[in-house]
Amino acid sequence: MKFSALLLIAFRSLARNKLRSVLTMLGIIIGVAAVIAMLSVGQGAKSSVESSIASMGTNVLTVFPGAGGTGGVRSDAGTTSRFTEDDVEAIRKEAEAVRYITPTARMSAQVKFGGQNWRTSVYGAYPEYLQIRSWNLASGSPYSAAEERGAAKVCLMGKTVVKNLFGDSTSPVGQTIRIKNLPFRVIGVLEEKGQGSFGQDQDDIIVAPYSTVQKKIVGGTYAQNMFASAVSEPAIAEASAQIDEILRRRFHFGVGDLPDFTIRTQTELAQAMGSVSSTLTVLLSSIAAISLLVGGIGIMNIMLVSVTERTREIGIRLAVGANGRDILLQFLVEAVTISFCGGLIGVALGVGASSLLSSLQGWAVKLSPVSILIAFAFSAATGIFFGWYPARKAARLNPIDALRFE
Amino acid sequence: MDTPIVAVRNLCKTYRMGEMDVHALRDVTLDIRPAEFVAISGASGSGKSTFMNILGCLDVPTSGSYLLDGREVQKLTRDELSLVRNRKLGFVFQSFNLLSRTTALENVELPLLYRRDVTAKDVRARAEASLQAVGLGERVLHHPNQLSGGQQQRVAIARSMVNDPVLILADEPTGNLDTRSSIEIIGLFQGLNRRGITVVLVTHETDIAAFATRQVVFKDGRVIRDEVNGSPLDAAKELARLPKPEAVA
Ligand SMILES: Nc1ncnc2c1ncn2[C@@H]1O[C@H](COP(=O)(O)OP(=O)(O)OP(=O)(O)O)[C@@H](O)[C@H]1O
Ligand SMILES: [Mg+2]
């Protein structure tokens, strides 16, 4: 029998029991939608993680105070830092794999310009901070090493702060703002970075010389963190080892001891963030697998019912000369038609679901034709796998038994 | 004489029903030659249908041999049997056995769809010609539930003859029909028989058996009478003799 004729038989038989056919498709619809969502979310998450890692800077290492735990990024709350500028200086001199290093001091503070008020993060760091984070200026110029040494009251401003203090009309460069009531001259505006790895606004920031922030705003002696970059990507591990070695020596920790500082590399951060998206991928793929399985069993069930209902029809077809293969194909095509239609609806639903997810998560939708193809392949395979047994059962009927069936 | 189309030797069919054996056929030996029109009759349960199903390759005997057109049927595989049913045989059932929700034309096309050597255009043309031959040229697009019993049986006959079989088997084809429709149906079989097709027909009624050229009677799974009918009735003449009906079946 020709394929087109088999397809016609399948469609007629499905159209005869519309509700039943749609209900049977449900499992496949959900399964395929999950496959599509999984693939596009996986892709989207991957590329958003990649870009947020890139926005952190290149070959970055961070040194936190406190004993390191495994897993995510830890906060420095509750642990006191002992990092001094001398430690930074020692690392700069001795660690060959480290290109730039800066201590950082951070504080949330109220900033004012004219009648405008805005609460933002004030970051104190050496001028190298911009190189470590590969952060360029949109306008103005960075502060110099001399300004750093002299604790000059100058600052660089992130786009969000600019928007809130100056609006869109006036240029902030050259203006004087007040941070904690101290006058600071704005000498540059930072380029826009957008959302960070954890959804925070990276442009809601003011960067000023470390000495200024430490002495005049934070009022402490120790740096909160150290922020460094390695000379190259392969050198990250070496840089980490060198920093570890220097700090252990300065803080008097033996080789086997657990130090009270933690070094995190960009690679580790990437892994931590990647694990979030891979958890989501595992979740979605198990939903997909389970619903394809349930959908497949549903198809098998309905096809067994259909074979029983149509035993006489099978008998008639055998009596006029159909062979086992014709009957097998007829029911297999029917099963695959169900799963394929389910797949079609599932793809549409999956595209919708993933664009919804991406708009909620702020991830770019990456819907490749390959993932649609994979989804179709899955649904067709489900149809063939679960349609096979009922179809074979039909094909093995004896003509006389089938004709006598009531 | 010609070699027989059907050569049956010592055919037995036993159904096992729990502890009991039902002997539906006991040692049937029979030859049917080309262009014969055989009527099989006998009491209910005498094994007529069992015999027809074996002749039609729908069922297999418990023992004995069956040569169809010179080929030993027991030696054929399932697929070869399908091919034999498709090309050599036509089967007409008492209960019509048409596919419901499918037009008369599609029902008749069915045997042609299971062969690869007929083009779609020919399938349609042959099915239409076949329906024309049984007088249903106007009803090709009707579904079985839109046709009378007699018309449904004509569709079934059109289906049985569409592949130019050598043997047409009809198990009580007139069992559900009134006298007039019955004779019309018999007329169709006579027409096919005159074109050289061998016809074997089961009937309860002696007046129907009188149209055949040979009458075989079954009893308890055995052939108890087998005689040639020298002067079979002619369906066209008998129809003319019947009182005119109000509406044609
Ligand atoms: N599938 C079956 N299983 C068990 N016994 C069967 C089966 N089919 C037929 N028989 C038995 O075989 C015997 C012959 O049955 P068969 O149908 O051939 O009779 P028949 O001559 O066609 O009768 P009728 O004129 O009523 O159609 C009967 O006794 C019947 O009960
Ligand atoms: Mg019978």
Side-chain angles (χ1 to χ4, degrees):
Chain A
M1 194 164 241
K2 285 198 191 69
F3 187 70
S4 57
L6 289 173
L7 218 57
L8 189 70
I9 295 172
F11 272 116
R12 276 186 182 173
S13 140
L14 296 181
R16 213 170 286 157
N17 298 297
K18 283 187 198 70
L19 184 62
R20 186 168 100 178
S21 310
V22 171
L23 289 177
T24 308
M25 285 173 199
L26 213 55
I28 301 292
I29 293 174
I30 295 171
V32 168
V35 169
I36 293 282
M38 173 189 78
L39 291 170
S40 50
V41 163
Q43 290 282 314
K46 196 164 153 253
S47 63
S48 88
V49 164
E50 274 163 7
S51 73
S52 75
I53 298 283
S55 80
M56 243 159 50
T58 39
N59 316 326
V60 172
L61 297 107
T62 314
V63 186
F64 303 95
T70 44
V73 182
R74 37 166 310 137
S75 79
D76 46 0
T79 50
T80 38
S81 166
R82 310 199 262 147
F83 304 148
T84 61
E85 289 194 71
D86 291 341
D87 297 325
V88 173
E89 204 45 46
I91 293 170
R92 192 213 302 281
K93 284 216 182 84
E94 295 175 41
E96 282 152 19
V98 173
R99 171 173 290 163
Y100 299 115
I101 182 156
T102 172
T104 60
R106 210 201 97 228
M107 186 170 228
S108 181
Q110 201 73 23
V111 293
K112 282 184 203 151
F113 176 76
Q116 302 297 320
N117 241 302
W118 183 247
R119 197 168 186 84
T120 187
S121 282
V122 180
Y123 240 80
Y126 291 170
E128 288 92 328
Y129 180 74
L130 296 183
Q131 275 89 55
I132 298 172
R133 294 205 60 185
S134 359
W135 208 342
N136 296 322
L137 294 181
S139 61
S141 54
Y143 47 88
S144 64
E147 280 168 318
E148 171 64 55
R149 277 195 302 275
K153 285 191 283 231
V154 290
C155 70
L156 307 170
M157 202 177 259
K159 273 278 159 67
T160 305
V161 184
V162 172
K163 217 172 286 163
N164 284 287
L165 286 187
F166 295 90
D168 295 322
S169 44
T170 35
S171 161
V173 178
Q175 305 282 355
T176 301
I177 59 164
R178 299 185 88 83
I179 304 175
K180 274 188 130 187
N181 272 325
L182 290 172
F184 275 74
R185 196 159 49 86
V186 181
I187 55 168
V189 174
L190 294 160
E191 256 182 4
E192 195 164 336
K193 271 217 190 252
Q195 241 176 35
S197 331
F198 306 100
Q200 81 277 24
D201 180 2
Q202 300 187 92
D203 300 310
D204 192 2
I205 193 174
I206 286 178
V207 180
Y210 174 74
S211 48
T212 319
V213 173
Q214 187 70 302
K215 279 178 203 143
K216 301 193 170 141
I217 295 178
V218 179
T221 36
Y222 299 112
Q224 280 163 357
N225 296 330
M226 285 187 263
F227 205 48
S229 68
V231 288
S232 67
E233 207 194 314
I236 293 178
E238 204 189 327
S240 171
Q242 287 171 354
I243 295 171
D244 186 63
E245 197 265 321
I246 295 163
L247 290 181
R248 272 172 191 274
R249 178 156 37 80
R250 294 178 67 87
F251 295 153
H252 311 291
F253 286 104
V255 178
D257 296 345
L258 187 69
D260 66 350
F261 60 87
T262 308
I263 306 167
R264 275 251 192 273
T265 64
Q266 195 176 18
T267 337
E268 286 167 334
L269 273 172
Q271 277 162 1
M273 280 185 288
S275 77
V276 176
S277 72
S278 67
T279 307
L280 204 62
T281 307
V282 166
L283 188 79
L284 279 169
S285 49
S286 38
I287 292 175
I290 291 170
S291 32
L292 281 177
L293 182 75
V294 171
I297 292 169
I299 288 182
M300 179 132 96
N301 182 36
I302 281 305
M303 289 312 295
L304 284 171
V305 170
S306 177
V307 168
T308 308
E309 276 177 355
R310 288 152 72 189
T311 304
R312 253 181 109 79
E313 175 192 326
I314 296 165
I316 294 170
R317 290 181 183 276
L318 288 170
V320 301
N323 60 31
R325 208 177 132 265
D326 293 318
I327 303 294
L328 183 93
L329 274 179
Q330 179 186 331
F331 283 92
L332 214 51
V333 165
E334 194 170 316
V336 173
T337 305
I338 295 179
S339 64
F340 210 75
C341 288
L344 214 64
I345 301 171
V347 165
L349 228 67
V351 170
S354 56
S355 55
L356 192 76
L357 256 174
S358 80
S359 71
L360 289 179
Q361 291 284 323
W363 287 338
V365 209
K366 287 263 169 118
L367 195 71
S368 61
V370 176
S371 57
I372 291 178
L373 225 70
I374 290 174
F376 272 126
F378 262 117
S379 63
T382 308
I384 292 175
F385 186 79
F386 288 97
W388 185 266
Y389 174 72
R392 202 192 53 170
K393 195 172 171 229
R396 289 199 173 169
L397 283 172
N398 273 326
I400 192 66
D401 296 336
L403 280 169
R404 280 218 195 98
F405 187 84
E406 291 302 329
Chain B
M1 275 215 126
D2 303 320
T3 50
I5 280 262
V6 169
V8 162
R9 295 288 172 272
N10 310 105
L11 209 63
C12 292
K13 178 77 188 181
T14 309
Y15 293 108
R16 250 209 107 79
M17 299 287 287
E19 288 298 287
M20 208 178 62
D21 279 348
V22 179
H23 297 281
L25 290 178
R26 309 169 196 248
D27 205 30
V28 174
T29 295
L30 196 72
D31 278 357
I32 297 172
R33 274 169 289 280
E36 273 193 303
F37 187 160
V38 182
I40 296 178
S41 50
S44 185
S46 57
K48 307 180 296 292
S49 294
T50 305
F51 183 64
M52 292 294 273
N53 291 335
I54 293 172
L55 290 194
C57 300
L58 298 171
D59 204 353
V60 287
T62 311
S63 66
S65 80
Y66 168 27
L67 264 70
L68 172 63
D69 214 7
R71 292 180 79 187
E72 210 165 326
V73 171
Q74 281 98 312
K75 289 193 178 151
L76 300 180
T77 64
R78 260 178 80 93
D79 283 358
E80 285 168 334
L81 286 174
S82 289
L83 197 65
V84 166
R85 286 196 293 270
N86 189 245
R87 301 295 166 82
K88 296 207 169 185
L89 300 174
F91 216 107
V92 179
F93 304 88
Q94 178 175 358
S95 53
F96 319 132
N97 273 338
L98 299 174
L99 294 182
S100 51
R101 300 189 198 82
T102 307
T103 63
L105 185 67
E106 286 168 322
N107 265 289
V108 177
E109 283 176 347
L110 199 58
L112 296 168
L113 294 181
Y114 287 113
R115 47 191 295 182
R116 261 152 242 292
D117 53 350
V118 184
T119 64
K121 217 178 81 197
D122 282 351
V123 165
R124 165 138 289 210
R126 283 173 67 167
E128 274 171 351
S130 204
L131 277 168
Q132 200 80 48
V134 298
L136 282 180
E138 312 290 296
R139 307 273 182 143
V140 289
L141 295 181
H142 285 59
H143 286 202
N145 60 2
Q146 298 165 325
L147 296 170
S148 73
Q151 288 167 334
Q152 288 183 57
Q153 199 58 295
R154 286 166 195 245
V155 175
I157 293 170
R159 182 179 66 188
S160 75
M161 61 188 257
V162 76
N163 252 345
D164 292 325
V166 290
L167 175 63
I168 287 185
L169 301 160
D171 192 355
E172 299 195 44
T174 61
N176 288 341
L177 305 178
D178 64 20
T179 315
R180 186 176 185 89
S181 311
S182 296
I183 298 176
E184 282 171 351
I185 294 297
I186 292 300
L188 291 174
F189 285 119
Q190 272 190 336
L192 289 169
N193 182 241
R194 282 174 192 152
R195 277 169 44 196
I197 298 174
T198 310
V199 177
V200 180
L201 176 148
V202 170
T203 179
H204 270 304
E205 300 146 81
T206 38
D207 6 341
I208 295 293
F211 289 92
T213 61
R214 180 177 166 192
Q215 293 169 349
V216 174
V217 180
F218 273 62
K219 192 185 175 195
D220 294 333
R222 289 195 177 86
V223 175
I224 55 158
R225 216 167 68 215
D226 180 358
E227 54 200 24
V228 172
N229 178 10
S231 51
L233 297 178
D234 183 75
K237 280 185 198 145
E238 294 305 310
L239 266 183
R241 230 187 276 162
L242 279 179
K244 278 263 176 262
E246 275 95 78
V248 179

